[in-house]
């Protein structure tokens, strides 16, 4: 089997919503290899920086763990400065021969800012407090935007939007993990 024909791990669905003094990141638990679900309860959302930062990843699991470790180191180097830590991480990600081969994307947030990070050098902040990544990201993003003006709080929006994505995207399941931070 040629390298191009090797089955690839498919991403996931990670969604971030900031609303009502709270930021929430949620993700599903499915890991797919080609057309096969190899795990249904992966934990792709976690706390970093002694609980002061939450993050989720889409892409290769080993690559994401490497990036989380590197981000933790940057957060120790630049405590309380999530944006600076993320910019420094993405600089390394783009220029380091080992890191630039990593295939993953991340959403990270603290009480003040939420960011999307990619190996292309992106450090993006959402305009409306909502951002998503992964195979089902566009479905979850559309649902969250539609629900943003409702009476639902941030966590309820994330839960419902991820459930909608799981109904549509074959690479997303309904085994949802949520992490929240209060802005105060």
């Amino acid at each position: 089997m040629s390298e191009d024909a090797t089955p690839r791990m498919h991403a996931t669905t990670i969604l971030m919503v900031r609303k009502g003094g709270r930021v929430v990141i949620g993700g599903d638990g499915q890991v797919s290899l080609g057309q096969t679900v190899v795990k249904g309860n992966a934990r792709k959302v976690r706390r970093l920086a002694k609980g002061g930062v939450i993050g989720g990843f889409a892409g290769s699991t080993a690559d994401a763990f490497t990036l989380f470790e590197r981000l933790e180191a940057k957060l120790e180097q630049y405590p309380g400065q999530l944006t600076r830590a993320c910019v420094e991480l993405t600089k390394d990600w783009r220029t380091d021969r080992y890191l630039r081969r990593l295939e993953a994307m991340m959403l990270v947030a603290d009480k003040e800012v939420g960011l999307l990070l990619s190996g292309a050098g992106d450090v993006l902040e959402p305009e409306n407090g909502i951002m998503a990544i992964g195979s089902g990201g566009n479905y979850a993003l559309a649902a969250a935007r539609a629900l943003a003006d409702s009476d639902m709080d941030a966590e309820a929006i994330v839960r419902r939007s991820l459930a909608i994505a799981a109904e549509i995207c074959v690479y997303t399941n309904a085994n949802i993990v949520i992490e929240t931070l209060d802005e105060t």
Side-chain angles (χ1 to χ4, degrees):
M1 184 179 270
S2 73
E3 186 176 12
D4 293 336
T6 302
R8 296 187 52 119
M9 287 276 194
H10 275 278
T12 188
T13 303
I14 304 294
L15 175 64
M16 175 179 56
V17 173
R18 186 178 296 273
K19 181 181 178 185
R22 180 173 255 192
V23 61
V24 179
I25 295 181
D28 78 310
Q30 183 168 309
V31 177
S32 304
L33 183 59
Q35 298 176 347
T36 304
V37 175
V38 293
K39 185 172 177 141
N41 64 346
R43 186 171 174 84
K44 303 169 197 170
V45 177
R46 61 192 59 234
R47 289 188 171 275
L48 306 163
K50 300 177 183 157
V53 173
I54 54 176
F57 69 86
S60 169
T61 306
D63 293 354
F65 287 142
T66 299
L67 292 167
F68 273 141
E69 288 174 7
R70 296 286 180 123
L71 181 55
E72 282 274 16
K74 295 295 183 187
L75 289 166
E76 287 177 16
Q77 188 176 357
Y78 306 105
Q81 300 178 61
L82 180 60
T83 302
R84 176 139 188 224
C86 290
V87 168
E88 295 300 323
L89 172 65
T90 56
K91 282 184 195 175
D92 291 349
W93 196 351
R94 288 207 20 107
T95 58
D96 183 275
R97 289 184 80 163
Y98 168 73
L99 291 178
R100 72 175 163 230
R101 295 175 187 250
L102 301 183
E103 296 183 18
M105 292 182 81
M106 300 170 67
L107 288 180
V108 295
D110 65 9
K111 294 177 181 185
E112 295 153 9
V113 68
L115 302 166
L116 178 146
L117 310 177
S118 81
D122 299 312
V123 179
L124 303 172
E125 185 173 5
E127 288 181 16
N128 57 4
I130 302 171
M131 192 168 270
I133 57 174
S135 298
N138 286 335
Y139 306 117
L141 179 64
R145 285 184 177 172
L147 296 170
D149 291 333
S150 73
D151 292 338
M152 297 172 77
D153 67 13
E155 184 172 339
I157 292 170
V158 168
R159 286 187 185 282
R160 182 65 187 128
S161 299
L162 288 172
I164 290 169
E167 293 170 3
I168 299 169
C169 179
V170 297
Y171 299 111
T172 302
N173 70 13
N175 187 354
I176 296 169
V177 173
I178 301 277
E179 290 289 349
T180 65
L181 283 175
D182 291 327
E183 293 176 345
T184 55

